[in-house]
Amino acid sequence: MSRGRRDPDLVRSYVRTGGRVRAAHDLDLVTLVRAADDARPDHRPDERRLLALTSRRGALSIAELSAYLDLPASVVKIIVSDLLDSGHLHCPTPAQVKPELALIKEVLHGLRAIAG
């Protein structure tokens, strides 16, 4: 990198969050969110991408969204917070997020194998 140039990722994060450094909601890396509404044309590109992911894949954690979107978790938290405020995302309760039956069976087999 030549002298005097800034890291484009730093500038990009700042622009993506409108200069904000904290989310309005208390979110952690394992907080699950799910799309409650479709993206609108006036949503920013990152918001549209995040809503598309949570529409297709169901409830995802902040950490998963960060990985899928290739964005820092701090930026994802701010985007998620904005979408929670607008009603486009919601945080499902644990009873609403049910694991796949295959996963439950796999865990059961693993526990049986450990128990001997």
Side-chain angles (χ1 to χ4, degrees):
M1 188 183 299
S2 65
R3 187 179 288 203
R5 298 188 98 197
R6 295 183 183 195
D7 182 355
D9 289 332
L10 292 176
V11 174
R12 196 172 333 150
S13 294
Y14 180 83
V15 171
R16 285 182 163 156
T17 63
R20 293 172 292 156
V21 294
R22 286 199 175 85
H25 294 268
D26 185 25
L27 305 168
D28 56 33
L29 293 176
V30 296
T31 300
L32 294 175
V33 294
R34 176 178 281 168
D37 201 1
D38 293 330
R40 296 185 321 247
D42 62 327
H43 278 125
R44 296 179 307 226
D46 291 329
E47 292 173 331
R48 286 195 299 271
R49 289 175 51 214
L50 193 147
L51 286 169
L53 273 171
T54 55
S55 290
R56 279 194 321 267
R57 297 182 181 265
L60 293 171
S61 70
I62 299 294
E64 290 171 309
L65 289 167
S66 177
Y68 283 128
L69 297 172
D70 195 26
L71 291 172
S74 59
V75 172
V76 172
K77 287 179 184 182
I78 293 169
I79 296 168
V80 164
S81 185
D82 290 347
L83 291 170
L84 286 169
D85 286 342
S86 70
H88 286 86
L89 282 181
H90 70 94
C91 293
T93 62
Q96 292 174 319
V97 181
K98 297 178 184 169
E100 297 283 328
L101 184 58
L103 175 62
I104 293 172
K105 287 180 179 180
E106 191 174 326
V107 170
L108 182 60
H109 291 301
L111 290 172
R112 285 181 179 154
I114 291 171

